[in-house]
Amino acid sequence: MDNSNPFPRDALAPDAQVISLRCHSITQFDPQVLAQAFATRPKAEVEEMLCRILESIAQWLDQVEEGLTTLCFKQIDKPARRIALLAGQIGLTELAVAAGHVGRCAVLGDAFALAATIGRLERAFDQAVTEVWDFRHR
């Protein structure tokens, strides 16, 4: 038997509860948060803040990915919650929601859902970076 497969055949028992995680087909971004920051602070200060936040999110995302790679689901929930918090602070709604779903899947120990939601989280982060930097040029 090959124990290297993180997704065993019997991972989802017939009586297991199925949880629906709603995701949106478009990027959800609340530009008001950044608009207010740019309106009340010097541009360089806001850009530096955004760089720090996005860098922190990237570091937390690395920890999430490492948790999946090592199948240590217990180490995924905390960085996922941190991502959700930081993303919410700068209006990256979809990123925050996806991070919340990752944390939920990690707590439940659902490897299939976790792999899928981490993929969604990674895509949301890529889109969020684009949204933030495009917003600067509006």
Side-chain angles (χ1 to χ4, degrees):
M1 178 173 204
D2 180 12
N3 290 331
S4 64
N5 183 359
F7 309 109
R9 288 191 98 89
D10 61 347
L12 187 60
D15 62 341
Q17 181 182 7
V18 175
I19 296 173
S20 176
L21 303 174
R22 293 186 186 117
C23 67
H24 306 278
S25 59
I26 58 170
T27 302
Q28 290 188 350
F29 172 61
D30 180 5
Q32 291 300 95
V33 178
L34 291 183
Q36 184 176 0
F38 278 108
T40 59
R41 296 181 180 161
K43 183 178 179 180
E45 182 181 319
V46 176
E47 288 181 350
E48 184 180 323
M49 174 198 67
L50 289 172
C51 285
R52 281 194 317 266
I53 289 173
L54 292 173
E55 184 177 338
S56 292
I57 290 173
Q59 290 171 350
W60 289 116
L61 185 55
D62 283 344
Q63 289 185 19
V64 166
E65 292 166 343
E66 183 181 322
L68 180 62
T69 301
T70 62
L71 301 178
C72 186
F73 298 165
K74 290 179 182 178
Q75 81 177 43
I76 293 175
D77 183 44
K78 180 181 177 181
R81 283 185 282 126
R82 297 285 176 112
I83 292 170
L85 177 67
L86 290 172
Q89 289 176 346
I90 59 173
L92 302 175
T93 310
E94 175 58 25
L95 184 61
V97 169
H101 289 167
V102 166
R104 175 111 169 119
C105 292
V107 168
L108 293 173
D110 186 336
F112 294 106
L114 186 58
T117 53
I118 288 175
R120 182 172 138 230
L121 179 63
E122 291 167 342
R123 288 187 304 277
F125 179 67
D126 290 343
Q127 290 175 333
V129 170
T130 300
E131 287 285 337
V132 167
W133 294 120
D134 285 351
F135 179 82
R136 293 176 35 235
H137 301 295
R138 290 182 189 168

